[in-house]
Amino acid sequence: MSDARVTFALEDVQYLYNRRNLALDGISLTIREGERVALLGANGSGKSTLLKLLDGLISPSAGRMSVFGEQVDTLDDDSDAAHRFHRRVGLVFQDPDVQLFSPTVGDDVAFGPLQLGLPLVEVRRRVEAALTQMDIMHLRDRAPFELSGGEKKRAAIASVLSLEPDVVLLDEPTASLDPRTKWVLVNLIQQLGQHGKTIIVATHELEIVPIVADRVLVIGENRRVLADGPATAILEDRALLVEANLIHEHLHRHLAFTHSHEHDAGHHGETTVH
Ligand SMILES: Nc1ncnc2c1ncn2[C@@H]1O[C@H](COP(=O)(O)OP(=O)(O)O)[C@@H](O)[C@H]1O
Ligand SMILES: [Mg+2]
C-alpha cells in the first residue's frame, strides 16, 4: 500500500482461534488516518477479534493485512506477533481490570511510558496530559480497584493515551455503565477524535454511534463486513440493522413512537417493552 495515509488495509482476512474456530471470515477494509469508525456487530460477530488484529496482538490466519503501509505476516503462532506498529496503536480492552494492575492510577498511566524508557520529565508530562484529557487528575493517587466502573474505564483509556498512539481502539467502552457515566465517557471519546487521532470503537450500542463515529462498519453474523458507509446512512437502514441483529424488528415496531435512543440491541434483551 503506497498511500501513507492508509492506517489499516485488510484484504480477505480470516482469523481462526486454535486453527479451527472461525472468528473472522474474509474481512476487507481500509481505514485512513484520522477517521472515526464505529465497528458494529452483534455479540460474537468478531469485533473484539478484529480489534486484537488491528492492535497486533494476533495475526491473520489468512489474507493480507498492512498497517501504516507495512505488510503484517500471517503467522501460525501468535506468540511471535510483536509487530513494529504496536506502539502507534493502543487498545482499550472491554474489561478495565485487564489494563489496570498498579497500586495507583498514576502508576498505571506511567507504566507504558516508563516501559518505553522515556526520560522521567517526559513520563510525568504524558501522565498529566493523559489524566487531564480523561478528566481524572483527582484520581491519580487512588487504587484502581476502589474506583467506580466509569472511573476505571477513564483510567484504562488514560493508560493507553500516555503512550501517545496515533490510533486508539476501544472495545465496547460503554458496556455496563450507567447512563450518566456512559455519556460522560462518550463525550470524552468524541474529544479524542477531535484531536486528530484515528478512533475505532467496537460497540453494539447504536445510540453512541453518531457521537463517536462518522463512519460505520457493520460485521454480520457471518463474520464478514455487511456494510461500510457514513454513520447517518447506516443508522437509518433498519433492514440492515435487523439483519446484523443490532435491532429487533418486533421491538422496533413497539418503540417507533418513543425515543430513538431506545432502539439499540444492547437494551432489547433486558428491557420490558409495554
Ligand atoms: N479465545 C477464544 N478462543 C476461541 N474462540 C474465541 C475466542 N475468543 C472469541 N472466540 C470466538 O470468536 C467469535 C468472535 O468473537 P469476538 O471477537 O469476541 O466477538 P464480539 O467481540 O463481536 O462479541 C465468537 O464465535 C467467539 O466465540
Ligand atoms: Mg467483544
Side-chain angles (χ1 to χ4, degrees):
M1 200 49 73
S2 54
D3 188 344
R5 294 176 58 85
V6 171
T7 303
F8 299 107
L10 277 65
E11 277 177 70
D12 219 10
V13 164
Q14 262 194 0
Y15 187 78
L16 292 93
Y17 283 102
N18 310 315
R19 296 186 192 189
R20 53 196 166 82
N21 300 328
L22 187 65
L24 294 172
D25 186 17
I27 298 280
S28 297
L29 57 86
T30 301
I31 292 174
R32 289 168 192 279
E33 194 184 307
E35 280 197 284
R36 305 190 312 141
V37 180
L39 205 56
L40 278 179
N43 284 329
S45 58
K47 301 182 296 298
S48 297
T49 304
L50 182 52
L51 291 186
K52 282 190 263 176
L53 273 173
L54 301 182
D55 192 46
L57 290 174
I58 57 177
S59 303
S61 307
R64 286 164 304 284
M65 170 169 159
S66 71
V67 184
F68 301 114
E70 280 193 48
Q71 202 64 31
V72 172
D73 292 332
T74 302
L75 296 176
D76 289 333
D77 181 1
D78 283 323
S79 62
D80 292 332
H83 299 298
R84 260 178 290 172
F85 64 82
H86 199 74
R87 287 180 188 182
R88 297 180 63 186
V89 182
L91 171 60
V92 180
F93 290 94
Q94 181 170 356
D95 178 3
D97 290 330
V98 173
Q99 221 133 22
L100 305 170
F101 44 78
S102 302
T104 70
V105 170
D107 291 340
D108 264 325
V109 179
F111 183 82
L114 286 172
Q115 287 290 103
L116 293 180
L118 297 172
L120 282 180
V121 183
E122 173 65 6
V123 172
R124 212 166 297 134
R125 184 194 68 75
R126 287 185 177 210
V127 168
E128 282 174 14
L131 292 172
T132 304
Q133 221 174 334
M134 283 297 111
D135 201 15
I136 49 167
M137 209 48 167
H138 58 291
L139 301 178
R140 185 180 196 147
D141 299 320
R142 295 269 296 278
F145 68 83
E146 59 182 32
L147 304 180
S148 71
E151 290 170 339
K152 273 189 190 177
K153 205 80 212 183
R154 282 148 73 180
I157 297 174
S159 76
V160 167
L161 292 181
S162 62
L163 290 161
E164 299 194 344
D166 299 326
V167 183
V168 181
L169 311 170
L170 298 116
D171 198 354
E172 310 254 9
T174 54
S176 70
L177 297 180
D178 63 74
R180 194 185 316 124
T181 310
K182 180 193 294 192
W183 290 108
V184 168
L185 193 71
V186 164
N187 285 322
L188 290 168
I189 295 170
Q190 183 189 29
Q191 284 167 31
L192 282 185
Q194 287 164 348
H195 283 95
K197 288 199 189 292
T198 307
I199 306 280
I200 304 177
V201 181
T203 186
H204 57 258
E205 297 200 64
L206 301 181
E207 58 183 3
I208 74 166
V209 172
I211 304 171
V212 299
D214 309 302
R215 173 181 169 196
V216 173
L217 276 160
V218 182
I219 306 193
E221 293 190 292
N222 60 358
R223 286 94 192 272
R224 288 171 178 272
V225 177
L226 193 61
D228 178 358
T232 42
I234 300 251
L235 291 172
E236 280 169 10
D237 191 340
R238 296 283 156 190
L240 170 71
L241 299 176
V242 169
E243 186 185 348
N245 194 19
L246 289 159
I247 55 171
H248 192 281
E249 229 161 358
H250 179 70
L251 177 89
H252 179 232
R253 262 202 308 276
H254 280 265
L255 290 177
F257 299 104
T258 67
H259 298 211
S260 60
H261 283 176
E262 288 173 288
H263 288 188
D264 66 290
H267 288 170
H268 89 260
E270 55 281 358
T271 308
T272 312
V273 181
H274 297 288

